[in-house]
Amino acid sequence: MRALGVLCLMIYEEILALFSRSSTSAQIVYLVLVGLVTGWMAYCISPGYALRPSYILHNDPNASPKILNIIQYASLKCSFRINSAVCQNRQAEDSVVAAVLAEVAPTLENINEASIMDDLPQELIALIASFLERRVDYPEEDFPPPKPAASKLPPYAAISRKWQLAIEFRTFNSVHLRSSKLYHRARTLTGHRWAFISALSFDVVLPEYDDHRCAKFETQEEMEANNQAFTNAMQALFHLLKSWEPESTHEQSRSIALAISAICSPMDKWRRPAKKAEEDDWNWGIGKRADLWEHRYEHSLIRLVEHVNLPSVAIISSLDIESDSRRLEPRSAALLATKFPQAHTVQFDLFDNQSKHPNNNKSARYDFATAVCKLCRPSLREFQLKYYLHDPSNHYFSPPNILLPSESSVDHLSLALHTLSLSQNLTYLSLDPVCISPSIYWPSGLANPPSWPNLRHHFVEFQMTTPDGRWYFVRDPSAPIDDDEGEDDSSDPDAPPSTDSDSVPDTNSEASKIPDTYRERREAVANGEYPVRKFRTLPDETLINPLLMAMARAAGQMPKLQTMALISTMRDRRRKVFCVSYVAKEVESPTEWDPGDVETPRMDWSVGSWRPKDVILDVWRKEKGVSKIEFVEWCYSRGNVWMLGVLPKENEEHTIESIE
């Protein structure tokens, strides 16, 4: 029977080929009838084979468009009758059928022909619509990209009511809103349309500033205006989201993935109109324009105004907050997340880089920790935090102590992240890169051991420095000393002490139009970014062993743990990586060079020539049954480590020492 179906399909395709050579109406009518019968037989006998109305397009590109439309229309009629019934029992074929119909749909000559699709179930029409091209794709080399082309989908919404629902489902499935046009856009999200939304991206537009202010640092008044604009935008967004919640608890509530994707002013560096941005960059490059670019606001934080009252919104299932060029106060990000009690996924992309202003960083870090503790709740399943704190490139630099003076021995942020990780249903935790202490795994003074009942994946990338201002790594005495690493020459003759900088406006600067000056070299020295002296590659045993022991003890309290990794931001000139990873039995991990026998728990230690204390390895053997421990040195040349500590395999070099 299958062979007969294939034969019918071959005959059908031969008939399609004859269409391109037919000229008389009689021939066309005859072939259409034969084509319908043969195509129907092919589908009935072997429905796994899809009719291909584009066959002639691939075999005879010179065929008459009119005849092609007739062929395609005939194929559509045949396909409809069959797949209207088949789609209910043969879901595996839906995507094939939908792809064929979507290819043909743009060639339909009028709405009367297209309205035949009303015979199809709504689900299949929606699937067909999903294959339609939405917009013209621009080449990747076009940067900055041109203005997005208008959508091609709206004309299809006029075919019928079913098509309107299918097109609007796709159009409003993912929505991008800006605070400056929120009221206007919200008026279009009425009736059934808001119920189609599954992903919402929201941009906060800050006040625009004059052109001459591009060369002036932000004033306190401008910061307060930005904070008020951000707060107003959040209030408007929360009011809109709250209005979409079902009035009755018996009504089914849709879930929405919310992303606060940008916080910016139209005059910020990457937000200016393309033509103006190009002109400004050119004039700045030749010295005809003064502009501070992103340095104008690099030490400003966008924050919620105190005592703001935001309602709790239950329809948000995931939250992603990105702090790009404009940096959002970490506490404000955490407070926003607390207003979404049903969010099972929370992602933060924040900054913790205030090396030149350690007092500000201490309070910001403590406030963030206080707010993070409130995120420990049963609904939380995944938590990802990027909390950028750049390691000093000058390893002679003395890192600032970012702990509160009143509690100099308490790392509140590590404690808060530890508390969050104890969330009852949390399965995935990723922190990178974060300045941490051992209390992130196992705080001191615990009366009872902590428990992570459902945690499966635990990844931490830690900074080279400690919260109390020390280094996790020291110079390796066996490593050769380069000429430019031999002594501490960080006292740049052109730079003042690290507590001073003339990249700050004068008292009367804000009232004048005289451009402020940004001293890049002095800022780099103050932050430990210059001169570049990288030599700390050997773990300091007094600091790293307590961290590794806390990690091992915590792993023993995670009964469902599948993968765990602790990786440092340390990179030497060979791009050497410090990484400790664990993989449970019957689990394959992309971090492994060679999984080998997956029937046993195993560990990789990429720690160079250094070795941990035996007592640490004994804890892993006892608590997790680790029987295979390998010491592997990874080196790679192309940059970034990736998100979960995955090392690019094509760049790996391995030296293996096994312990069985």
Side-chain angles (χ1 to χ4, degrees):
M1 292 296 291
R2 189 173 185 85
L4 182 59
V6 173
L7 178 61
C8 290
L9 186 61
M10 293 174 61
I11 296 173
Y12 173 78
E13 291 181 343
E14 283 299 320
I15 293 173
L16 292 183
L18 291 175
F19 270 118
S20 62
R21 298 190 295 272
S22 300
S23 57
T24 66
S25 300
Q27 289 177 321
I28 293 176
V29 171
Y30 174 76
L31 291 175
V32 166
L33 292 175
V34 176
L36 288 175
V37 173
T38 311
W40 179 82
M41 291 177 61
Y43 255 104
C44 289
I45 297 172
S46 185
Y49 289 90
L51 301 184
R52 290 176 287 178
S54 61
Y55 178 82
I56 297 180
L57 292 176
H58 298 297
N59 292 275
D60 189 2
N62 298 319
S64 167
K66 174 66 176 178
I67 293 180
L68 288 178
N69 284 340
I70 295 175
I71 299 169
Q72 292 167 341
Y73 181 56
S75 301
L76 277 175
K77 291 179 68 177
C78 179
S79 300
F80 287 165
R81 293 196 182 96
I82 296 166
N83 289 283
S84 301
V86 168
C87 66
Q88 298 178 8
N89 300 316
R90 301 180 181 274
Q91 297 181 1
E93 298 175 8
D94 280 359
S95 59
V96 177
V97 175
V100 173
L101 299 182
E103 184 178 1
V104 176
T107 68
L108 298 177
E109 296 182 331
N110 54 61
I111 292 179
N112 290 330
E113 291 180 351
S115 63
I116 297 176
M117 290 193 178
D118 275 347
D119 294 337
L120 294 175
Q122 181 68 49
E123 293 78 6
L124 186 53
I125 292 180
L127 189 58
I128 296 169
S130 70
F131 283 87
L132 296 175
E133 184 181 22
R134 185 168 186 174
R135 286 188 175 90
V136 176
D137 293 331
Y138 292 99
E140 294 182 359
E141 58 269 16
D142 287 354
F143 185 83
K147 184 177 180 180
S151 175
K152 294 182 177 182
L153 298 181
Y156 295 101
I159 293 176
S160 67
R161 176 63 176 173
K162 284 187 175 182
W163 268 90
Q164 179 187 358
L165 292 175
I167 295 300
E168 289 187 349
F169 177 82
R170 185 176 175 190
T171 301
F172 294 102
N173 184 257
S174 179
V175 176
H176 184 197
L177 300 177
R178 296 169 63 89
S179 61
S180 57
K181 298 181 179 179
L182 183 59
Y183 176 75
H184 172 72
R185 288 297 306 274
R187 294 175 62 184
T188 66
L189 301 175
T190 58
H192 59 270
R193 291 176 176 174
W194 72 264
F196 291 155
I197 300 175
S198 63
L200 175 61
S201 176
F202 186 68
D203 291 352
V204 178
V205 181
L206 302 178
E208 191 170 357
Y209 45 90
D210 295 336
D211 200 58
H212 81 277
R213 294 296 306 171
C214 294
K216 309 289 288 185
F217 290 105
E218 277 194 342
T219 64
Q220 186 63 34
E221 290 76 10
E222 288 176 316
M223 295 180 192
E224 292 175 358
N226 289 337
N227 294 339
Q228 189 61 56
F230 177 76
T231 302
N232 293 342
M234 290 298 103
Q235 289 177 318
L237 174 63
F238 273 68
H239 176 75
L240 177 63
L241 295 174
K242 192 67 177 178
S243 68
W244 291 346
E245 288 189 342
E247 297 180 359
S248 171
T249 56
H250 299 290
E251 297 181 39
Q252 185 177 4
S253 176
R254 288 183 60 86
S255 60
I256 298 176
L258 173 63
I260 300 177
S261 52
I263 305 172
C264 58
S265 167
M267 285 298 291
D268 289 351
K269 180 177 181 180
W270 302 110
R271 300 295 173 174
R272 300 178 195 178
K275 184 176 181 181
K276 175 174 175 54
E278 185 177 356
E279 292 177 354
D280 290 350
D281 186 58
W282 173 262
N283 291 330
W284 176 78
I286 62 177
K288 290 186 177 182
R289 175 182 173 82
D291 204 317
L292 294 175
W293 303 108
E294 69 274 15
H295 301 304
R296 179 180 189 271
Y297 43 81
E298 71 175 14
H299 292 300
S300 301
L301 288 177
I302 305 297
R303 52 172 54 90
L304 286 170
V305 174
E306 293 295 333
H307 309 300
V308 62
N309 186 20
L310 297 175
S312 178
V313 179
I315 62 173
I316 299 301
S317 60
S318 71
L319 175 66
D320 184 2
I321 297 180
E322 297 182 14
S323 181
D324 194 6
S325 57
R326 291 281 186 162
R327 298 177 180 179
L328 179 63
E329 179 199 32
R331 179 192 69 97
S332 296
L335 289 178
L336 289 175
T338 62
K339 298 298 182 179
F340 304 118
Q342 299 304 317
H344 56 72
T345 300
V346 176
Q347 300 181 52
F348 292 145
D349 193 340
L350 306 170
F351 284 86
D352 182 24
N353 193 18
Q354 295 282 334
S355 301
K356 200 164 74 73
H357 304 284
N359 290 332
N360 294 343
N361 203 22
K362 291 178 182 180
S363 59
R365 184 181 174 91
Y366 174 77
D367 292 341
F368 182 41
T370 303
V372 163
C373 287
K374 300 177 182 179
L375 293 178
C376 182
R377 59 197 185 201
S379 61
L380 188 63
R381 299 176 189 171
E382 297 184 12
F383 182 79
Q384 298 184 49
L385 170 65
K386 293 182 181 295
Y387 199 39
Y388 296 104
L389 175 64
H390 298 296
D391 284 323
S393 298
N394 177 12
H395 286 184
Y396 288 108
F397 183 75
S398 297
N401 185 333
I402 54 179
L403 302 179
L404 291 179
S406 58
E407 300 177 89
S408 58
S409 62
V410 180
D411 180 9
H412 289 281
L413 183 57
S414 291
L415 286 174
L417 293 172
H418 169 81
T419 300
L420 181 143
S421 71
L422 298 175
S423 297
Q424 180 180 356
N425 295 310
L426 189 71
T427 62
Y428 180 91
L429 178 71
S430 175
L431 310 173
D432 67 287
V434 185
C435 184
I436 62 168
S437 64
S439 56
I440 197 171
Y441 293 110
W442 199 283
S444 59
L446 290 178
N448 298 307
S451 175
W452 294 265
N454 291 296
L455 193 60
R456 291 172 170 80
H457 307 281
H458 191 296
F459 300 95
V460 176
E461 182 180 14
F462 69 102
Q463 298 288 337
M464 293 181 65
T465 60
T466 65
D468 59 358
R470 293 180 289 174
W471 289 86
Y472 273 117
F473 296 86
V474 297
R475 182 193 291 275
D476 186 350
S478 64
I481 300 177
D482 293 342
D483 293 339
D484 59 352
E485 293 179 357
E487 57 181 311
D488 182 1
D489 60 350
S490 58
S491 57
D492 187 345
D494 295 331
S498 60
T499 56
D500 185 25
S501 172
D502 62 355
S503 292
V504 178
D506 297 330
T507 304
N508 299 323
S509 175
E510 62 184 76
S512 70
K513 292 191 176 182
I514 300 175
D516 291 331
T517 304
Y518 181 82
R519 302 292 186 185
E520 186 172 2
R521 175 71 63 85
R522 300 188 182 193
E523 291 283 341
V525 171
N527 293 328
E529 298 173 2
Y530 182 86
V532 178
R533 300 288 184 265
K534 294 186 177 182
F535 54 82
R536 296 179 181 270
T537 59
L538 184 69
D540 184 340
E541 292 202 3
T542 61
L543 297 176
I544 206 72
N545 277 325
L547 182 65
L548 295 174
M549 176 59 77
M551 175 189 180
R553 295 177 68 189
Q557 303 298 317
M558 303 176 184
K560 296 184 179 180
L561 185 65
Q562 296 181 7
T563 57
M564 190 176 193
L566 177 66
I567 183 171
S568 172
T569 55
M570 186 274 294
R571 308 284 186 270
D572 65 2
R573 292 182 181 272
R574 294 179 56 234
R575 310 299 291 169
K576 186 183 297 182
V577 178
F578 178 95
C579 179
V580 178
S581 64
Y582 161 83
V583 182
K585 65 178 181 180
E586 299 180 357
V587 176
E588 293 187 10
S589 171
T591 63
E592 293 182 290
W593 169 56
D594 181 11
D597 183 12
V598 298
E599 297 301 321
T600 180
R602 53 211 183 273
M603 292 192 72
D604 283 348
W605 291 70
S606 174
V607 293
S609 59
W610 180 81
R611 292 294 180 267
K613 289 185 175 180
D614 290 339
V615 64
I616 297 176
L617 300 179
D618 291 340
V619 172
W620 281 104
R621 295 187 181 101
K622 177 182 177 182
E623 299 292 342
K624 304 304 293 183
V626 175
S627 59
K628 181 180 180 181
I629 298 177
E630 291 183 336
F631 289 92
V632 181
E633 181 178 282
W634 277 308
C635 299
Y636 64 99
S637 59
R638 280 200 311 261
N640 301 325
V641 178
W642 96 122
M643 179 172 136
L644 304 177
V646 178
L647 303 176
K649 290 191 174 182
E650 64 273 18
N651 292 330
E652 292 176 356
E653 301 169 6
H654 303 273
T655 303
I656 300 179
E657 176 184 336
S658 292
I659 298 178
E660 294 291 349

